[in-house]
Amino acid sequence: MSEETKIIRDPLYGYIEISGKELELLDTLPMQRLRRIKQLALAELVYPSACHTRFEHSLGTLYVAGSMAEKLRLSSEEKKITRYAALLHDVGHGPFSHVFENILSLVNPEVDHTKIATDIIRKTELSDILEEKTDQVIKVLDGSEETIIRTIISSQLDADKLDYLRRDSYHIGVAYGWFDFERIIHMIKRSKDGKYLVVKEKGIDA
């Protein structure tokens, strides 16, 4: 990255490098609110160490999405959009994460955390920071355009899942969600039409 960066220590990845613009996004009220949103809702009542938050998961997703974008050799602008979308993908989560979403669906079935996230991005200081990239980030999150960036953020093998499977396993203390992360990153590639994320055959075992 050409702009000034900061380093954040993470138990899964060692160090996560954050650009100046990403740091601005992190310092906003909508993102800082995620420090109080439990990643696994009420799971800590059974697994006391499962008290990690959507904030650290968002940082992890940014790291994974950035690694995927690097491996796929996306352009500089595509990498920025990918990382911004990854960082903001959970900004719309409410108390107790998906548990709250089940209650929300009883009030309005058409509203979920993704819809709330896009509204938050448009109507808060996040859009002032993203500037002309606001609409691009929102299109990635709401899925209105099918692109390789959308696949990195939301698909069967996206950055979100690759982070939370390992992060949740780490905090709970189980091996169920642990897998060879580095192997998967090295084995991904773009589909022939360039829109989708696929895995080389020899990477299927991972």
Side-chain angles (χ1 to χ4, degrees):
M1 300 177 192
S2 57
E3 56 186 314
E4 183 182 355
T5 61
K6 297 288 185 181
I7 302 296
I8 296 178
R9 180 74 169 151
D10 183 82
L12 297 183
Y13 312 116
Y15 294 100
I16 299 176
E17 193 172 24
I18 306 292
S19 73
K21 183 80 74 173
E22 291 159 2
L23 193 60
E24 287 184 53
L25 293 171
L26 276 178
D27 283 342
T28 61
L29 287 175
M31 283 301 298
Q32 289 297 312
R33 183 185 68 89
L34 296 184
R35 290 182 182 272
R36 303 189 299 277
I37 306 296
K38 297 292 178 65
Q39 173 76 6
L40 293 180
L42 301 172
E44 65 175 310
L45 297 179
V46 178
Y47 299 97
S49 61
C51 54
H52 51 303
T53 67
R54 289 278 160 182
F55 184 83
E56 59 207 81
H57 165 60
S58 296
L59 287 170
T61 304
L62 177 144
Y63 176 87
V64 176
S67 298
M68 296 169 92
E70 288 286 344
K71 177 62 175 62
L72 298 173
R73 298 181 179 178
L74 302 190
S75 69
S76 176
E77 284 303 299
E78 287 176 322
K79 289 176 185 175
K80 287 181 180 180
I81 298 300
T82 301
R83 290 174 63 91
Y84 295 157
L87 188 63
L88 299 174
H89 82 286
D90 272 353
V91 74
H93 265 294
F96 306 113
S97 300
H98 290 289
V99 173
F100 175 77
E101 205 159 356
N102 292 334
I103 298 171
L104 186 63
S105 67
L106 299 176
V107 180
N108 188 342
E110 296 182 0
V111 175
D112 58 16
H113 75 273
T114 300
K115 174 66 170 65
I116 295 172
T118 57
D119 285 346
I120 289 174
I121 291 170
R122 284 191 193 281
K123 298 175 182 179
T124 67
E125 64 266 41
L126 292 173
S127 62
D128 296 330
I129 297 169
L130 291 171
E131 299 177 314
E132 76 281 356
K133 293 181 173 59
T134 299
D135 287 339
Q136 292 171 273
V137 170
I138 287 174
K139 286 179 181 178
V140 171
L141 295 179
D142 68 16
S144 56
E145 287 186 1
E146 199 66 54
T147 64
I148 187 63
I149 300 176
R150 169 65 181 175
T151 308
I152 291 173
I153 302 302
S154 181
S155 67
Q156 290 182 320
L157 188 68
D158 57 35
D160 179 28
K161 294 180 182 69
L162 290 182
D163 181 75
Y164 76 61
L165 282 172
R166 296 175 77 231
R167 192 170 299 278
D168 293 354
S169 297
Y170 173 85
H171 285 281
I172 290 174
V174 299
Y176 174 75
W178 207 255
F179 55 88
D180 193 341
F181 169 73
E182 289 76 15
R183 176 73 171 170
I184 289 178
I185 294 298
H186 279 83
M187 290 294 108
I188 61 172
K189 64 178 183 178
R190 297 175 77 153
S191 58
K192 290 182 179 179
D193 62 9
K195 290 183 179 181
Y196 302 101
L197 185 67
V198 297
V199 181
K200 297 177 184 178
E201 186 174 355
K202 58 184 178 180
I204 291 176
D205 58 329

